[in-house]
Amino acid sequence: MMSLPPSLGSPYPWLRELKSEERGLYLIHLLLTCANHVAAGSLENANIALEQISLLASPDGDTMQRISAYFTEALADRILKAWPGLHKALNSTKITLISEEILVQKLFFELFPFLKVTFVLTNQAIVEAMEGEKMVHIIDLNAAEPAQWIALIQVLSARPEGPPHLRITGVHQQKEVLDQMAYRLTEEAEKLDIPFQFNPVISKLDNLDFEKLRVKTGEALAISSVLQLHTLLASDEEHLRKKSPLASKNMNGVHISRPLQINQSTLGELLEKDVVNGHSQSPDSSSSSPISANASAKMDSFLNALWGLTPKVMVITEQDSNHNGSTLMERLLEALYSYAALFDCLESTVPRTSLERLKLEKMLFGEEIKNIVACEGAERKERHEKLEKWIQRLDLAGFGNVPLSYYGMLQSRRLLQGFGCEGYKIKEENGCVVICWQDRALFSVSAWRCKK
């Protein structure tokens, strides 16, 4: 066993000789140690760990090298935020093209089966709730992907009682995205001769004007929210910044040592090792603060407003992860588990040299990791929570769970089988569906209606 040298000088030759599994375990060691130093404000030690990681991490290497590159960037970004002037100067000329954002969302849809399964389950729940209805209105709180509603239009056109009059209200920040959505859906509806209207609402979720949704009496309403509601948990309260930065006293003075040889092949398995002495928290533990402690007035008023629209069905998809803990260490460890699984998915299905894979990892997952690790307060939007939290929250808001149907589950399982990769699974949990990679839950889908 060899301790980390106080200053690097020339890289230790054994770093270069590490096998993939050894390197993976050592990188986890380094990341957790670096995060501990960042949380404690020990910048000199954090810098030493970052230098070590940079010798081993790579955005085009194996799973652990890739994920380490983005966690390192996130930790460095968190350090830089201590000097707002410096942080702003380094980011002042950053340009994010809308076309690139659209492309990355498209890649997430194509390279993973998660959204496809979500759309199948959502559409099936809507079709069942709308049986016999002549006027159907759907509100899509993230109208980014036309494929979902094109599929629904096709199913509704084949209804034995004939298609309903369909109106879809799409909410999105970008006008270009809504224009594309309107064009594709109108084209499909005309082709199938379905009476159709599209109502675009250009807005962020947190300042959505519910009047613009134009919900009318006499129409049956369905609401779809895909990976959106967690952003409303972002709180403006400064007390979040002032909480103790350390996850637990066990994390103090973590000793980094040369890893023992191990035989695990996937990052998920690497993480199952008790990497840091005294930090054997279960990845699925509900350790993030309970709802009452993390209550968000914005979330409460938003759910109340949705309840006031009296939807026949509301289908919610969320990341099924614990990324809303109050401490950096808690969030970092949980994020390592979930993003490990997502990066493993791509490692199993997409070549390492794929430019699409690199773009998706950097522009979607890399940015999410940065938000979870580097941001606090209202700026931290990626506040993913576990299904049981959502069940509790929606129940308190006056919604009752609608079990997802056997037929929807059957369609989803067929879709996953057709994806050609055995790692993807779905399981039923309290009438809801959890989509997994191996045994790691990644996304949840649940359906709701207003309790009388």
Side-chain angles (χ1 to χ4, degrees):
M1 302 294 275
M2 189 181 249
S3 297
L4 178 69
S7 67
L8 278 173
S10 60
Y12 271 54
W14 61 264
L15 277 180
R16 301 288 183 202
E17 293 162 15
L18 292 177
K19 293 189 181 78
S20 174
E21 293 88 347
E22 292 176 322
R23 183 177 59 225
L25 189 52
Y26 193 54
L27 276 166
I28 297 165
H29 252 309
L30 286 168
L31 282 170
L32 292 174
T33 302
C34 179
N36 191 52
H37 290 316
V38 172
S42 174
L43 297 189
E44 199 174 334
N45 286 330
N47 182 57
I48 290 168
L50 285 172
E51 273 195 83
Q52 279 264 332
I53 296 167
S54 71
L55 294 170
L56 300 175
S58 164
D60 54 7
D62 64 26
T63 305
M64 194 59 221
Q65 287 179 301
R66 295 170 97 106
I67 200 172
S68 298
Y70 298 111
F71 274 91
T72 310
E73 197 179 339
L75 286 165
D77 198 60
R78 187 178 175 100
I79 293 169
L80 276 178
K81 280 176 185 282
W83 292 276
L86 184 60
H87 188 266
K88 280 174 188 155
L90 284 170
N91 290 282
S92 62
T93 56
K94 223 176 179 181
I95 299 168
T96 311
L97 298 172
I98 295 168
S99 57
E100 287 283 283
E101 278 182 19
I102 295 169
L103 172 69
V104 168
Q105 292 300 329
K106 201 91 186 148
L107 289 173
F108 181 64
F109 176 70
E110 286 167 3
L111 298 180
F112 290 101
F114 303 123
L115 288 182
K116 296 180 180 80
V117 169
T118 291
F119 294 166
V120 163
L121 290 166
T122 303
N123 286 0
Q124 186 58 31
I126 291 172
V127 166
E128 287 167 15
M130 297 301 162
E131 201 174 325
E133 295 289 353
K134 292 183 169 59
M135 304 276 286
V136 173
H137 182 187
I138 296 166
I139 296 170
D140 182 354
L141 295 176
N142 180 34
E145 181 49 67
Q148 176 176 10
W149 305 125
I150 287 173
L152 184 74
I153 288 170
Q154 290 167 353
V155 172
L156 291 176
S157 74
R159 269 198 334 184
E161 69 267 39
H165 183 287
L166 179 64
R167 190 152 64 91
I168 293 179
T169 294
V171 181
H172 200 278
Q173 285 172 249
Q174 313 288 0
K175 182 182 182 294
E176 295 87 339
V177 173
L178 291 171
D179 287 347
Q180 179 66 13
M181 177 76 89
Y183 173 75
R184 295 280 307 279
L185 298 188
T186 306
E187 183 183 49
E188 189 66 25
E190 283 173 0
K191 199 164 76 184
L192 295 170
D193 201 25
I194 287 188
F196 175 75
Q197 284 173 291
F198 186 77
N199 171 33
V201 177
I202 303 162
S203 173
K204 286 183 180 178
L205 218 54
D206 57 7
N207 56 11
L208 178 62
D209 176 0
F210 275 73
E211 292 295 312
K212 288 186 177 167
L213 301 176
R214 305 211 314 255
V215 175
K216 299 170 185 169
T217 48
E219 61 185 13
L221 180 67
I223 297 170
S224 167
S225 172
V226 178
L227 311 180
Q228 293 304 299
L229 289 186
H230 64 264
T231 60
L232 297 170
L233 291 168
S235 162
D236 299 339
E237 293 168 46
E238 282 300 306
H239 78 268
L240 279 173
R241 295 173 191 273
K242 292 172 184 168
K243 285 189 180 177
S244 163
L246 293 172
S248 74
K249 58 179 182 287
N250 291 343
M251 290 304 297
N252 288 328
V254 174
H255 175 71
I256 301 186
S257 48
R258 183 171 179 168
L260 294 167
Q261 187 172 355
I262 51 169
N263 300 312
Q264 280 75 13
S265 56
T266 69
L267 175 49
E269 288 169 323
L270 287 178
L271 278 160
E272 292 301 336
K273 294 300 254 182
D274 201 359
V275 174
V276 178
N277 290 338
H279 207 109
S280 53
Q281 175 186 357
S282 153
D284 278 320
S285 66
S286 298
S287 55
S288 56
S289 22
I291 284 177
S292 55
N294 250 2
S296 160
K298 179 68 77 177
M299 176 65 81
D300 292 344
S301 66
F302 193 86
L303 290 178
N304 286 338
L306 291 180
W307 187 88
L309 300 175
T310 58
K312 281 197 84 176
V313 70
M314 176 169 79
V315 189
I316 292 171
T317 300
E318 279 294 329
Q319 289 92 340
D320 194 47
S321 302
N322 246 340
H323 299 154
N324 198 18
S326 56
T327 65
L328 167 64
M329 291 309 303
E330 196 181 344
R331 296 201 305 270
L332 182 119
L333 194 66
E334 291 291 343
L336 263 173
Y337 273 102
S338 358
Y339 287 95
L342 287 166
F343 276 64
D344 266 343
C345 294
L346 290 175
E347 181 72 6
S348 303
T349 53
V350 187
R352 287 182 186 176
T353 51
S354 160
L355 191 60
E356 283 87 0
R357 176 177 169 183
L358 189 65
K359 271 190 175 170
L360 181 60
E361 287 172 343
K362 180 174 174 58
M363 293 173 66
L364 183 62
F365 300 147
E367 289 305 307
E368 286 179 0
I369 290 166
K370 198 183 287 183
N371 191 270
I372 292 164
V373 171
C375 298
E376 292 295 351
E379 200 187 0
R380 182 160 63 83
K381 298 284 189 192
E382 301 299 340
R383 293 171 175 261
H384 313 142
E385 294 195 338
K386 298 291 287 179
L387 176 60
E388 64 251 29
K389 287 273 185 75
W390 289 107
I391 290 173
Q392 200 181 335
R393 188 175 281 122
L394 287 150
D395 184 59
L396 287 170
F399 289 97
N401 183 249
V402 179
L404 291 163
S405 74
Y406 173 76
Y407 185 61
M409 294 275 287
L410 196 67
Q411 284 179 287
S412 301
R413 288 209 164 93
R414 277 188 195 144
L415 194 153
L416 286 182
Q417 282 163 3
F419 202 74
C421 184
E422 286 177 14
Y424 293 108
K425 297 168 187 171
I426 60 169
K427 59 182 182 187
E428 192 263 343
E429 208 173 282
N430 302 318
C432 311
V433 166
V434 178
I435 315 169
C436 310
W437 170 253
Q438 308 298 0
D439 294 321
R440 159 70 35 180
L442 289 174
F443 297 91
S444 67
V445 186
S446 56
W448 304 83
R449 65 166 156 261
C450 299
K451 286 189 276 196
K452 290 193 172 65

